Amino acid sequence: IMIEGKHYLAHRLIYQMFNPDWDIADNSRDNQVDHIDCVRDYNHIDNLRVANQSQNLSNGEVYKNNKSGEKGVCWHDASGKWCAKVTSNKKQYWGGVFDKKEDAITKAKDMREQLHGEFVNHG
C-alpha cells in the first residue's frame, strides 16, 4: 500500500492503526509483525503481534524442501539415524540422534516448546 509516496505492508499498517505508539518506520529485525496463524493475508488485529526475526521464523511452517516432512527432523548420514535440531536466535541446538523417526520428532517438539515459547509452531 502506498501512502504519500511510501510503500507499506498491509499487516504493518493495520498493526500500527491499533497500536499508534508502535514505530512503523522501524524496519529492523527486532520490529517485525508476525501472523500468529501463519496465514499471511489474514490481517485481523487479533492475528498480529510484534516479533523479532527469530520469533517470526520460529512461528513458520515446515520448509518446502524439508525431506523428512517434520520440522526440526532430518536424516543423519554419518550415524544412519534420525536427528533432531532446532534453531533459535541464530543458534542451532542439537537434540541427538535416534533410531526411530518418531523419537526425533518428539525431541524436536520438546526443544521447540522450550526455546520458542509463545511463538512455537510445530509446522
Side-chain angles (χ1 to χ4, degrees):
I1 299 170
M2 187 177 280
I3 300 175
E4 296 180 0
K6 269 190 116 170
H7 289 277
Y8 296 94
L9 298 172
H11 63 286
R12 291 178 67 84
L13 281 171
I14 292 166
Y15 189 83
Q16 204 273 330
M17 285 172 48
F18 287 86
N19 298 278
D21 293 334
W22 178 71
D23 186 3
I24 193 170
D26 178 1
N27 289 317
S28 71
R29 292 179 177 183
D30 290 332
N31 197 40
Q32 297 183 1
V33 176
D34 176 51
H35 291 83
I36 296 168
D37 69 358
C38 298
V39 178
R40 291 167 37 183
D41 61 354
Y42 179 56
N43 292 320
H44 191 278
I45 189 60
D46 292 338
N47 190 45
L48 303 175
R49 62 184 168 191
V50 173
N52 65 37
Q53 186 176 33
S54 180
Q55 292 166 326
N56 204 353
L57 291 170
S58 296
N59 189 34
E61 296 177 341
V62 177
Y63 289 120
K64 292 177 185 174
N65 65 347
N66 181 316
K67 294 178 183 174
S68 75
E70 299 290 337
K71 196 171 180 182
V73 175
C74 62
W75 182 254
H76 189 253
D77 285 329
S79 67
K81 297 181 180 190
W82 293 99
C83 71
K85 57 184 177 178
V86 175
T87 302
S88 181
N89 293 314
K90 299 181 184 178
K91 183 176 178 186
Q92 194 168 80
Y93 295 86
W94 179 254
V97 293
F98 303 87
D99 292 322
K100 296 179 183 176
K101 183 178 178 182
E102 295 77 21
D103 293 338
I105 293 169
T106 299
K107 180 64 176 182
K109 283 182 178 179
D110 290 346
M111 292 170 64
R112 278 193 303 277
E113 293 284 341
Q114 277 189 323
L115 293 167
H116 298 164
E118 72 176 285
F119 291 88
V120 70
N121 180 329
H122 297 300

